[in-house]
Amino acid sequence: MYFHIYAIHSSYVKIFFVMITKETIKHLAVLSRLEFTEKQLDNFSHDLENIFNYAQMLNEVDTTGIIPSSHAMPLQNVFKEDRVIPYHNIEKIMANAPLEESHAFRVPKILAD
Amino acid sequence: MSWEVVIGLEIHAQLKTNSKLFCHCSAAFGDTPNTNICPVCTAMPGVLPVLNKKVVDSAIKLGLATNCKINSINEFSRKNYFYPDSPKAYQISQFDKPICLAGYLNIMVNNELRRIDITRIHMEEDAGKLVHQGSDNISGATHSLVDLNRCSVPLLEIVSEPVIRSATEARLYMEKMRQIIRYLDIGDGNMEEGSLRCDANVSIRKRGDIKLGTKTEVKNLNSFKSVEKAINLEIDRQIDILEDGGTIIQETRHYNEATASTTSLRSKEEAHDYRYFPDPDLVPIVIDELWIETIRKELPELPEAIQKRFVNDYNLPTDHSVRLTSIKKLAEDFENAYKNRKNENITPLETANVALKYYDYFLSNNLDFSKSNHASFQIGGLTFLVNTSTVSSSTITSILPDIVNTNYDPIEYVKEKGLAQVSDTGELKSIIQDVIKENPGPAEEIKSGKMQTIGFMMGQIMQKTKGKANPGLANKMLKELLGIS
Amino acid sequence: MIHLNAHELFNKIKNKEVSALELTNAFITHSKKTNAVLNSYNLITEEIAINTANRVDKKIATGEKLEIFEGVPIAIKDNICIEDIETTCSSKILEGFKPPYNATIIEKLNAMNMPIIGKTNMDEFAMGSSTETSFYGVSKNPWDISTVPGGSSGGSAVAVASGQAPLSIGSDTGGSIRQPASFCGIVGVKPTYGRISRYGLMAFASSLDQIGPFSKTVEDSAHLLNILCGYDFRDSTSQNVKAEDFTRDLNRSIKGIKVAIPKELYNSSLSKEVKDYYDQLINKLSNEGIIFEEIELPSLKYALSTYYIIAPAEASSNLSRYDGVRYGYRSENANSLIEMMTKSRSEGFGDEVKRRILIGNYVLSSGYYDAYYKKAQQVRTLIKEDYKKAFETYDVILSPTTPTPAFKPGEKTANPLEMYLNDIMTIPVNLAGLPAISIPCGMVNNLPMGLQLTGNVFEESKLLGISNQLEKILCFKLNNSFIEGVL
């Protein structure tokens, strides 16, 4: 929705110039639960533009029919048995809570936004 | 204007496992917040998930029982979103490679068979619980508390095609799904406790239209009654809007059982970009034929098959066999009761009648039938008593409160309490003669052909025998003594 | 004594020339003294180190036999969980976080009674090649403290290079062990993906992360790998392979071995100075009977682009759990939940982490997934296939570990892409899950340079054997002048 891709030229390989706008960064910031100053928005849009334009070289590669790799090594069917092993240091988990109340993690009010 | 209703259901069934989906914490309901937790399900930095094999087995079971195709290559994906009840800020779920695809269930609607198509079934983890403080609802709360006991408990999400045509159909389909989940013993299927949940996608269109109308998603349906009620409310709401010339907004609506109304939940702009990608911490699950066949052999006989068998083998009316198979234990208790006493000439129909009466008693008194360990034995005994006319069927109803949830032998109980029917013709004859003598007027009425008065006379006989007179016999003898048979 | 390698130190303990406690104290004292300059530690864990050393001494006193490396101190990168010990990933967002559990490798080190003397500095969440992104400030390269030690496991490399610890642990997602090992003139190993459990390693990019050792010698790393490796049921990606002794090939002759030099790594990005240096080195090694052949691995050209899509994608999701709800930093300046999460993350993460979260979320966004993420995963498959083909013919693949020796802080921070290009030699290995090692091979501009050897999957023993023989030929000497200057 905020992303723009412009084709600069195309020979037998498609090369695009990727433009990352400040609006794009703002949208990504919302998805990422981050907020930025205007200057950061400028910097990040510039950085990401450079990086994605560098990565455009991937378009040179013919990947038709190539199976994507989600893992470094092939492995399958790794399971645990359905057995309860109680964890005995729950208090050490709770001790890390920034704010605890009634043995629960307390968070500020949730605004319906 | 004639409207057609289009409903699709997303059912979430919590699975009955000992441990959670990706860690060794107990999956049991925890009262005290954060007691069934560990570093893995609280998403401490550095932890890793390992898949509970029983969940895969359960998913295959449900897939086979709902006529689905089992996908041989399975993958877990991360569904990314921030919310405090989701500690990793992503839910581990299945995206484009769900475990079951393209199944269906048959339901009976007004004595007509309806096939409800199932799009997919996939495995995923449950979220934790948020308790809002300072108010009953989220908007008035001052703050909230995060309890992760339920976090990562295994769920199956069952998505139907938008082929359901009424709120009643939706409820019947949901009930059928629960029945199967319980037969397979993979989940409790308890809507009130949240182990079975459902969201309904509802839209309407002009009859004959091919294009679907704009849908809304109705959430918070916590009982079968709610499912039906909320969907009907939503249908009415949509019809009102369209007939007033308005348009339906695609949105999520929250059903409030107390006020019997739905309210809109405004959705966030970015809420729908979940950025799914294969979870690199988990490896693919490859399900081969051998695995599927092993599970298929473990499948119990399912209700539809048992119904057919009861009709064919025992000559039971369809209605009886449907009711007997509503839960697996009842079907089993009925069949065991019959088999154990069939040498004593009891009939399947007698046994079925007693079994249903027995089960209805549990239902109408909110008792837990699953814990009734002597049901089969007692149903058998009671059927014997009825078969031998030792007690009337109304007597059975009156003694159930005393014997269910005990190990009483009904035959012994009736003997002990002296509840056997008076079937001794000599004794009965003198009682009936007394009744005729004491009520000459009604006796004359009967003789002159006013048959309704027989009921009154029978009442008098029952009063004298404290209800123990064998009604068939008494009726017959009364008529004989009045010379009208 | 602190100049000695782990094996020599172990022998001294075993022969009762020094007690484990004396040894541990010596390293702690030296660490404390030098840390002010080097900034290699986020935390020195004196108490647990001394407790462990005492256990070893008790064992010696009762005449029990010691197993190799019992009593030998070790430093741990600050992204590996130690129960009750603050573990921060050098990030403000994990300030004060005390893990409620031990990483699997910590359990193994504890079982081997190796005193843990500290948590080492690193790039924030291992995202960086210089330790400059650390919330706790940059570490210094002991060879020249005006240069960076490399990263992200910079602190661990510095600890070994400066005599603060004879051994240390790092993690390697795109070169984070090998590159700092190269910059600091020591040995660093990234094992086959799945050899060492990742349980307890705070994830950066799950499909690329791998724990590994730093040491002064190849032999020490081989022994340490024997301790660290092994199947772990808590890590679904852990490889269930038979245990082997990684020292078994250390003395095997390397005459006649076939070594491949991929053009894609050897020509493109090297300065003439560096290229000339390695040409001369290869000449020298050819005289030892090693057969070198230049080969083409065409997909390697795309490794960097592939990596900078896959790693940030995984990272953006892995780092979402740092939301201020259950642990670590929570912003005080928030009135609602969403504000609390947003401010905690914005105040808690540094710029490089934010940059990668943005990249990751972009490539996973609907509409961009296929063009970036899926495409990168497909290219990843091609990279794996290229390597697989090469190992049908060659024993190992050789390249420089880095295109340049250590650089100065600030030199590459202005342009992130330039910083990323520093990892161009090391990144392809992670994408393919292969084992690789960096051994020091000499000096360029008075700074150490490393030789990277990559082996086929699970062929660590062969890789270590060849490396050990090369180490003998190369005769690289650690620079102890910094250490002596401090003492």
Side-chain angles (χ1 to χ4, degrees):
Chain A
M1 77 195 81
Y2 299 117
F3 310 129
H4 306 284
I5 293 182
Y6 298 103
I8 298 182
H9 69 266
S10 63
S11 51
Y12 70 100
V13 168
K14 273 188 188 164
I15 302 291
F16 293 106
F17 181 75
V18 184
M19 207 170 113
I20 306 285
T21 63
K22 282 206 283 189
E23 288 305 312
T24 305
I25 302 295
K26 273 185 198 165
H27 172 74
L28 293 172
V30 174
L31 279 179
S32 314
R33 291 285 183 274
L34 290 172
E35 59 186 8
F36 297 126
T37 61
E38 280 299 310
K39 187 160 181 291
Q40 280 178 311
L41 289 174
D42 273 336
N43 290 344
F44 284 132
S45 61
H46 178 75
D47 292 346
L48 263 66
E49 210 165 87
N50 276 345
I51 291 158
F52 289 126
N53 278 308
Y54 177 83
Q56 287 307 301
M57 69 164 75
L58 291 182
N59 289 330
E60 298 167 16
V61 188
D62 181 6
T63 50
T64 320
I66 303 293
I67 296 164
S69 292
S70 300
H71 295 88
M73 303 285 289
L75 261 183
Q76 62 188 47
N77 293 8
V78 176
F79 302 111
K80 69 170 179 99
E81 291 307 311
D82 183 28
R83 189 160 50 99
V84 175
I85 306 173
Y87 171 71
H88 296 294
N89 284 325
I90 288 174
E91 294 325 308
K92 289 188 180 180
I93 291 179
M94 298 312 295
N96 277 298
L99 209 52
E100 190 191 327
E101 183 180 310
S102 312
H103 211 256
F105 304 96
R106 181 181 164 148
V107 294
K109 62 172 177 274
I110 301 168
L111 295 179
D113 46 355
Chain B
M1 177 85 60
S2 174
W3 297 98
E4 184 178 42
V5 174
V6 179
I7 303 164
L9 289 191
E10 281 170 27
I11 300 175
H12 284 94
Q14 187 180 315
L15 294 176
K16 212 155 78 177
T17 53
N18 297 320
S19 57
K20 292 185 178 180
L21 184 50
F22 296 116
C23 64
H24 282 287
C25 284
S26 167
F29 179 76
D31 250 340
T32 313
N34 296 304
T35 45
N36 291 337
I37 60 167
C38 75
V40 177
C41 56
T42 54
M44 290 290 133
V47 297
L48 295 168
V50 184
L51 176 63
N52 186 341
K53 182 165 184 291
K54 195 174 174 195
V55 175
V56 185
D57 288 340
S58 300
I60 297 173
K61 272 185 196 164
L62 186 62
L64 292 176
T66 54
N67 312 295
C68 286
K69 180 179 152 279
I70 309 298
N71 251 342
S72 61
I73 310 246
N74 270 270
E75 185 175 79
F76 279 99
S77 290
R78 295 184 181 180
K79 179 183 183 179
N80 293 286
Y81 67 96
F82 286 93
Y83 210 61
D85 64 3
S86 172
K88 296 184 294 297
Y90 58 82
Q91 178 195 32
I92 304 180
S93 181
Q94 291 192 282
F95 182 51
D96 52 356
K97 297 188 180 88
I99 186 159
C100 312
L101 278 174
Y104 65 88
L105 274 186
N106 288 324
I107 55 170
M108 293 296 288
V109 186
N110 300 325
N111 291 320
E112 239 175 80
L113 192 73
R114 283 273 293 131
R115 172 179 150 141
I116 307 297
D117 289 312
I118 294 165
T119 317
R120 57 184 276 159
I121 302 175
H122 70 251
M123 303 174 274
E124 64 181 27
E125 56 183 341
D126 206 347
K129 197 170 90 182
L130 274 175
V131 183
H132 306 300
Q133 301 293 304
S135 169
D136 288 342
N137 57 40
I138 182 167
S139 54
T142 54
H143 62 281
S144 302
L145 300 179
V146 185
D147 170 15
L148 299 174
N149 279 345
R150 210 180 65 193
C151 187
S152 212
V153 164
L155 302 177
L156 293 182
E157 180 173 327
I158 308 146
V159 183
S160 85
E161 289 286 311
V163 293
I164 299 167
R165 290 287 173 266
S166 72
T168 309
E169 265 185 43
R171 176 178 55 77
L172 290 170
Y173 163 70
M174 185 87 188
E175 281 174 353
K176 183 75 184 252
M177 192 59 76
R178 175 177 73 167
Q179 183 187 34
I180 287 177
I181 287 165
R182 288 180 170 176
Y183 262 77
L184 296 172
D185 200 27
I186 57 173
D188 289 332
N190 196 324
M191 285 198 82
E192 284 75 13
E193 285 168 15
S195 54
L196 190 69
R197 309 194 276 269
C198 131
D199 302 329
N201 288 307
V202 181
S203 66
I204 58 171
R205 62 182 169 193
K206 282 180 201 153
R207 202 164 290 282
D209 276 5
I210 292 163
K211 202 170 158 277
L212 289 172
T214 306
K215 67 177 180 187
T216 57
E217 187 178 14
V218 187
K219 284 181 181 288
N220 197 39
L221 311 176
N222 298 327
S223 66
F224 289 103
K225 229 170 69 190
S226 298
V227 171
E228 200 164 347
K229 178 91 191 161
I231 291 175
N232 275 329
L233 277 170
E234 184 54 19
I235 293 168
D236 291 346
R237 194 188 68 90
Q238 292 190 9
I239 290 176
D240 284 350
I241 291 175
L242 291 183
E243 292 193 340
D244 286 350
T247 48
I248 309 294
I249 305 162
Q250 181 158 353
E251 62 183 350
T252 301
R253 300 189 66 86
H254 184 91
Y255 176 66
N256 187 329
E257 195 160 11
T259 60
S261 62
T262 65
T263 45
S264 171
L265 295 173
R266 281 174 57 198
S267 60
K268 285 178 221 85
E269 179 209 348
E270 97 283 9
H272 298 296
D273 196 350
Y274 290 123
R275 289 149 290 145
Y276 280 101
F277 73 104
D279 192 330
D281 287 330
L282 290 160
V283 301
I285 309 140
V286 179
I287 301 168
D288 59 10
E289 277 307 308
L290 180 70
W291 190 350
I292 295 173
E293 285 318 306
T294 310
I295 298 285
R296 203 190 295 277
K297 279 185 200 123
E298 287 171 16
L299 285 184
E301 194 181 8
L302 290 168
E304 270 177 58
I306 302 177
Q307 280 162 27
K308 274 191 196 131
R309 198 163 54 76
F310 282 2
V311 171
N312 292 336
D313 295 3
Y314 299 133
N315 270 320
L316 290 183
T318 305
D319 179 54
H320 278 62
S321 79
V322 168
R323 283 166 64 207
L324 282 174
T325 51
S326 60
I327 64 165
K328 190 172 157 194
K329 184 177 182 301
L330 177 61
E332 285 170 354
D333 286 342
F334 152 74
E335 197 159 24
N336 289 333
Y338 172 67
K339 282 183 176 161
N340 288 338
R341 287 191 182 268
K342 68 178 174 196
N343 295 334
E344 298 166 68
N345 293 322
I346 64 170
T347 70
L349 185 60
E350 281 169 348
T351 316
N353 283 330
V354 170
L356 290 171
K357 196 166 281 192
Y358 193 93
Y359 177 58
D360 283 345
Y361 178 77
F362 278 79
L363 280 189
S364 52
N365 291 286
N366 273 326
L367 298 173
D368 185 358
F369 186 68
S370 70
K371 294 199 177 86
S372 151
N373 297 326
H374 304 284
S376 155
F377 166 69
Q378 291 186 337
I379 290 167
L382 291 166
T383 309
F384 176 80
L385 290 170
V386 172
N387 175 265
T388 55
S389 298
T390 313
V391 297
S392 66
S393 62
S394 60
T395 308
I396 286 182
T397 312
S398 63
I399 65 174
L400 280 175
D402 292 337
I403 65 164
V404 299
N405 291 331
T406 73
N407 59 358
Y408 262 125
D409 177 349
I411 300 170
E412 291 301 317
Y413 180 84
V414 164
K415 248 186 228 162
E416 252 172 55
K417 302 273 172 184
L419 294 171
Q421 290 188 130
V422 181
S423 297
D424 177 323
T425 42
E427 192 187 342
L428 209 49
K429 190 175 177 184
S430 77
I431 290 168
I432 295 171
Q433 280 169 338
D434 285 352
V435 170
I436 292 172
K437 217 176 282 170
E438 287 159 20
N439 300 285
E444 281 311 311
E445 284 178 28
I446 296 168
K447 277 186 200 167
S448 61
K450 201 175 170 199
M451 286 307 168
Q452 300 96 300
T453 314
I454 288 184
F456 168 78
M457 295 295 267
M458 284 299 289
Q460 298 301 306
I461 297 165
M462 283 301 170
Q463 212 168 33
K464 270 205 176 342
T465 58
K466 298 197 175 86
K468 288 189 289 183
N470 180 333
L473 191 62
N475 192 292
K476 190 169 157 249
M477 288 176 75
L478 175 66
K479 288 177 182 167
E480 275 170 12
L481 288 168
L482 292 171
I484 57 160
S485 53
Chain C
M1 188 165 60
I2 53 174
H3 308 324
L4 300 179
N5 66 43
H7 203 247
E8 291 163 341
L9 291 168
F10 174 69
N11 283 334
K12 281 195 179 299
I13 301 171
K14 205 170 67 176
N15 301 332
K16 300 181 191 174
E17 291 168 48
V18 63
S19 74
L21 183 63
E22 283 165 342
L23 190 74
T24 296
N25 276 329
F27 280 104
I28 286 172
T29 307
H30 180 63
S31 292
K32 283 181 175 168
K33 204 186 290 179
T34 51
N35 196 42
V37 178
L38 297 174
N39 196 29
S40 44
Y41 284 102
N42 288 344
L43 184 70
I44 292 173
T45 52
E46 186 167 359
E47 200 183 314
I48 60 166
I50 285 170
N51 285 343
T52 308
N54 281 332
R55 274 205 313 269
V56 177
D57 286 334
K58 211 173 278 169
K59 234 176 138 174
I60 295 168
T62 57
E64 270 183 81
K65 196 173 165 283
L66 295 189
E67 279 183 70
I68 194 151
F69 289 170
E70 271 191 284
V72 178
I74 189 162
I76 309 292
K77 190 176 181 180
D78 202 19
N79 60 351
I80 293 169
C81 289
I82 305 181
E83 191 168 333
D84 301 333
I85 301 294
E86 188 175 352
T87 303
T88 69
C89 272
S90 287
S91 179
K92 182 182 175 184
I93 211 157
L94 274 167
E95 230 180 355
F97 173 66
K98 290 183 175 171
Y101 73 105
N102 273 325
T104 298
I105 67 140
I106 297 300
E107 285 181 351
K108 285 173 183 270
L109 295 173
N110 283 345
M112 197 44 75
N113 292 321
M114 294 177 68
I116 291 169
I117 54 176
K119 305 299 301 280
T120 59
N121 197 1
M122 56 185 279
D123 282 290
E124 185 181 7
F125 282 100
M127 296 174 184
S129 310
S130 62
T131 71
E132 285 170 280
T133 69
S134 168
F135 178 64
Y136 301 106
V138 64
S139 280
K140 304 287 164 60
N141 190 324
W143 292 80
D144 174 354
I145 58 169
S146 76
T147 66
V148 300
S152 66
S153 314
S156 287
V158 173
V160 171
S162 66
Q164 291 176 330
L167 297 168
S168 66
I169 300 291
S171 68
D172 190 316
T173 307
S176 282
I177 291 174
R178 290 157 288 154
Q179 187 253 22
S182 171
F183 279 13
C184 292
I186 57 171
V187 174
V189 186
K190 183 208 98 71
T192 306
Y193 183 86
R195 272 282 197 194
I196 298 178
S197 169
R198 291 186 296 119
Y199 189 78
L201 168 67
M202 294 176 171
F204 161 15
S206 313
S207 79
L208 302 161
D209 295 343
Q210 189 58 202
I211 289 171
F214 287 100
S215 61
K216 287 176 177 158
T217 67
V218 173
E219 187 189 356
D220 280 355
S221 271
H223 283 296
L224 186 50
L225 281 170
N226 281 345
I227 295 165
L228 300 172
C229 290
Y231 177 68
D232 182 10
F233 67 92
R234 287 170 290 199
D235 176 358
S236 301
T237 61
S238 170
Q239 292 286 342
N240 199 349
V241 287
K242 232 178 105 200
E244 60 182 285
D245 179 0
F246 294 113
T247 65
R248 69 177 188 206
D249 289 338
L250 288 181
N251 295 316
R252 180 178 281 202
S253 162
I254 55 169
K255 286 227 157 40
I257 62 160
K258 290 182 84 176
V259 177
I261 302 174
K263 278 183 187 160
E264 291 74 14
L265 299 186
Y266 197 62
N267 292 326
S268 58
S269 50
L270 301 178
S271 69
K272 186 173 184 303
E273 200 176 17
V274 171
K275 175 82 164 42
D276 287 348
Y277 176 79
Y278 280 96
D279 281 344
Q280 176 208 327
L281 189 73
I282 288 161
N283 255 333
K284 182 178 163 188
L285 294 174
S286 301
N287 296 334
E288 302 282 336
I290 299 172
I291 302 157
F292 288 98
E293 278 176 29
E294 212 170 49
I295 61 160
E296 281 183 26
L297 297 174
S299 64
L300 257 54
K301 186 182 155 195
Y302 306 103
L304 192 73
S305 296
T306 303
Y307 177 86
Y308 275 97
I309 290 169
I310 292 175
E314 293 182 12
S316 68
S317 174
N318 283 333
L319 269 60
S320 292
R321 67 187 58 195
Y322 304 103
D323 58 6
V325 174
R326 298 166 315 288
Y327 44 76
Y329 175 76
R330 178 186 285 196
S331 173
E332 302 284 338
N333 316 313
N335 295 315
S336 71
L337 174 80
I338 195 163
E339 217 175 278
M340 184 279 277
M341 285 184 169
T342 305
K343 289 200 185 300
S344 299
R345 289 167 62 79
S346 299
E347 293 162 20
F349 287 135
D351 276 356
E352 183 58 30
V353 172
K354 289 174 185 168
R355 190 175 292 119
R356 302 217 193 175
I357 290 174
L358 293 173
I359 297 170
N361 278 322
Y362 182 85
V363 301
L364 291 175
S365 285
S366 58
Y368 292 83
Y369 183 93
D370 284 358
Y372 288 98
Y373 187 70
K374 190 178 163 206
K375 182 82 181 179
Q377 285 195 320
Q378 287 174 315
V379 177
R380 185 177 189 178
T381 304
L382 296 175
I383 292 169
K384 288 204 256 186
E385 284 171 2
D386 272 0
Y387 272 117
K388 198 177 164 201
K389 247 176 271 162
F391 285 117
E392 285 167 10
T393 311
Y394 301 95
D395 293 292
V396 288
I397 293 171
L398 179 142
S399 74
T401 308
T402 56
T404 66
F407 48 86
K408 291 194 181 338
E411 213 174 288
K412 292 177 193 291
T413 44
N415 183 352
L417 190 57
E418 201 178 313
M419 184 72 92
Y420 300 169
L421 282 164
N422 199 254
D423 300 331
I424 200 152
M425 308 284 175
T426 46
I427 271 173
V429 167
N430 297 74
L431 289 167
L434 302 168
I437 185 170
S438 178
I439 59 170
C441 62
M443 309 286 284
V444 170
N445 297 338
N446 296 319
L447 286 166
M449 286 292 286
L451 201 57
Q452 175 178 244
L453 293 150
T454 304
N456 201 358
V457 286
F458 300 123
E459 289 191 351
E460 280 88 349
S461 292
K462 185 199 234 180
L463 187 65
L464 290 159
I466 293 169
S467 303
N468 192 46
Q469 295 305 311
L470 292 181
E471 186 178 73
K472 282 183 194 163
I473 296 164
L474 295 167
C475 284
F476 182 84
K477 285 272 171 291
L478 255 178
N479 169 14
N480 293 323
S481 59
F482 170 80
I483 304 167
E484 256 115 46
V486 174
L487 290 175

